[in-house]
Amino acid sequence: PYGWVEPEKYFDPMTYGSKDFGFHTEIGMPVVSTAASVRNMTGDEPEWPIGGAWYHHDWSERGNQAPQNYKAAIAARLGDSGDLDDFARKAQFVNYENTRAMFEAWNQNLWDNASGLMLWMSHPAWHSTVWQTYDYDFDVNGTYYGARSACEPLHVQADPVKWQVLAVNHTSTDLRGATVAARLFDLTGRQLGTTRKARLDVERAATAKAFTAEWTNDLPDLHLLRLTLTDAKGREVSRNTYWRYRDTSALRTLNKARQVKLTGDITKVSRSGDRHELTATIHNRGSAVAAMVRLSLLEEAHGRRVLPTLYSDNYLWLLPGESRQVTLSWPAEACSSRHPVLTAQAYNSPVTTLRG
């Protein structure tokens, strides 16, 4: 499919018009990027509501990408949008969730009539509203990180149909003595039930089933499933957070979630050579889960984005009191400031600015 479908549909080979997954060479959907990138796209034309400039950049409601279905999916999950910033933030949930599901469907069926999946276009030749993992101006959205999560060399995942949890090993080395753990949380960060664990071995270029993290009637309509994969030495090699909803409208609970406070520290800055790099730690100081924390490097506060910037992780879910270390790097010529700032914003938080 070139248009949006429910994430669980990717796990059904009939979605691709076949009884097998095989080697699938074209898949994609509409992708609305960050608000800043969309403003670059619309230029001096109206940015909202969706109109002329959008249609000129592939928002074709008569084409096979059917962006109206994508827009409806965003509204079904998080409600109608009041402006571009609101729509772009909500779009990242769908971007991330669907793209992760595309590749995790292939992981689940790896080598059982499933050998490969290719996205239809990864980088458009001009500003676009469809079929992109990163933007014409090199900004990155939820699609990029959903794909990268599912495609990491060692990965832990669960399918959105039966919630079978499995570990995936895309490397050339067997993974011995690994541990898969699953924990459930409500939006306050309170753990629901006990941690479930399984110890397993995962052969090279293979998968291994751990257990099923099934739904039960006592679970909230919206909650988090946090999966981790650790190696024999206890080092975390994969972390995957699912927002599970009994009905798509349950995700709207996030619109009423407690506001959280993000803080952070830039612990290391390197300016040697033709690339610059910094390491930062993002903290959730609030009493609720910080949802989809987006990081963005700017030349100065409220200034120009530094593009392209590579982030070791982005669009994070942080539990109350939880921290996450990230590393950023960018070409020296991409930033004229010697002291760029890093911004962090959750769906339920104001913008936090970190300075090195």
Side-chain angles (χ1 to χ4, degrees):
Y2 293 119
W4 176 88
V5 298
E6 292 285 353
E8 58 267 26
K9 291 290 187 181
Y10 295 118
F11 291 78
D12 179 0
M14 293 306 296
T15 299
Y16 316 96
S18 172
K19 61 183 177 64
D20 298 320
F21 288 89
F23 187 88
H24 194 69
T25 58
E26 292 185 12
I27 192 172
M29 69 174 195
V31 175
V32 169
S33 184
T34 64
S37 281
V38 174
R39 288 190 175 101
N40 274 356
M41 179 189 79
T42 57
D44 57 2
E45 293 189 33
E47 64 183 42
W48 190 261
I50 292 171
W54 292 65
Y55 299 136
H56 193 57
H57 291 272
D58 302 326
W59 189 273
S60 174
E61 296 181 3
R62 296 183 181 181
N64 54 12
Q65 61 264 50
Q68 64 272 25
N69 296 337
Y70 168 79
K71 182 183 178 185
I74 296 168
R77 284 157 172 75
L78 290 159
D80 292 329
S81 302
D83 56 29
L84 173 61
D85 292 281
D86 189 29
F87 185 60
R89 287 198 309 145
K90 291 173 177 176
Q92 305 319 312
F93 286 83
V94 171
N95 292 347
Y96 193 112
E97 181 180 43
N98 272 59
T99 311
R100 176 175 60 182
M102 291 178 192
F103 288 99
E104 287 186 341
W106 253 256
N107 286 343
Q108 179 171 282
N109 296 280
L110 190 62
W111 309 128
D112 182 12
N113 283 321
S115 57
L117 178 69
M118 294 177 64
L119 293 178
W120 171 242
M121 295 183 15
S122 61
H123 175 213
W126 71 335
H127 279 294
S128 184
T129 57
V130 297
W131 307 324
Q132 56 184 322
T133 53
Y134 59 99
D135 307 322
Y136 177 78
D137 57 13
F138 295 113
D139 205 350
V140 283
N141 60 70
T143 296
Y144 178 88
Y145 291 96
R148 198 173 70 172
S149 170
C151 296
E152 59 187 347
L154 297 172
H155 182 60
V156 62
Q157 68 176 60
D159 73 83
V161 181
K162 298 181 179 179
W163 293 102
Q164 171 68 56
V165 178
L166 71 156
V168 184
N169 182 357
H170 284 298
T171 76
S172 59
T173 304
D174 295 344
L175 180 64
R176 301 292 182 186
T179 299
V180 171
R183 294 182 294 165
L184 298 170
F185 298 94
D186 65 17
L187 293 187
T188 70
R190 178 176 65 92
Q191 184 166 344
L192 306 170
T194 58
T195 302
R196 190 166 183 184
K197 293 185 178 181
R199 195 171 177 84
L200 42 73
D201 299 328
V202 195
E203 295 182 358
R204 70 194 76 177
T207 65
K209 293 181 179 179
F211 44 76
T212 302
E214 66 277 356
W215 271 84
T216 56
N217 291 333
D218 59 334
L219 288 173
D221 289 348
L222 174 65
H223 61 274
L224 302 184
L225 169 63
R226 167 70 63 82
L227 303 178
T228 56
L229 175 66
T230 53
D231 64 16
K233 295 182 180 179
R235 295 174 298 196
E236 183 178 287
V237 294
S238 177
R239 176 190 298 192
N240 202 354
T241 303
Y242 294 90
W243 47 100
R244 302 205 300 184
Y245 40 84
R246 201 176 301 275
D247 179 80
T248 52
S249 62
L251 196 59
R252 299 186 192 185
T253 307
L254 285 174
N255 295 332
K256 301 178 181 178
R258 296 177 190 170
Q259 289 287 295
V260 299
K261 179 181 180 181
L262 301 177
T263 62
D265 308 292
I266 295 179
T267 55
K268 178 183 177 183
V269 179
S270 170
R271 299 187 178 91
S272 60
D274 60 358
R275 291 194 68 82
H276 292 174
E277 182 177 292
L278 70 79
T279 301
T281 302
I282 312 300
H283 313 277
N284 177 8
R285 303 297 189 190
S287 58
V289 171
M292 291 285 276
V293 179
R294 178 178 178 267
L295 309 176
S296 183
L297 188 69
L298 307 178
E299 286 198 339
E300 57 189 17
H302 310 293
R304 188 178 67 88
R305 293 168 296 160
V306 178
L307 300 172
T309 295
L310 301 179
Y311 301 81
S312 63
D313 206 355
N314 213 331
Y315 294 94
L316 318 171
W317 288 80
L318 296 177
L319 302 172
E322 189 174 33
S323 301
R324 186 76 165 168
Q325 187 179 83
V326 293
T327 301
L328 290 70
S329 68
W330 61 95
E333 66 271 14
C335 181
S336 60
S337 171
R338 289 186 57 82
H339 300 284
V341 301
L342 177 63
T343 63
Q345 183 180 23
Y347 186 74
N348 55 325
S349 85
V351 178
T352 293
T353 301
L354 288 66
R355 292 176 170 83

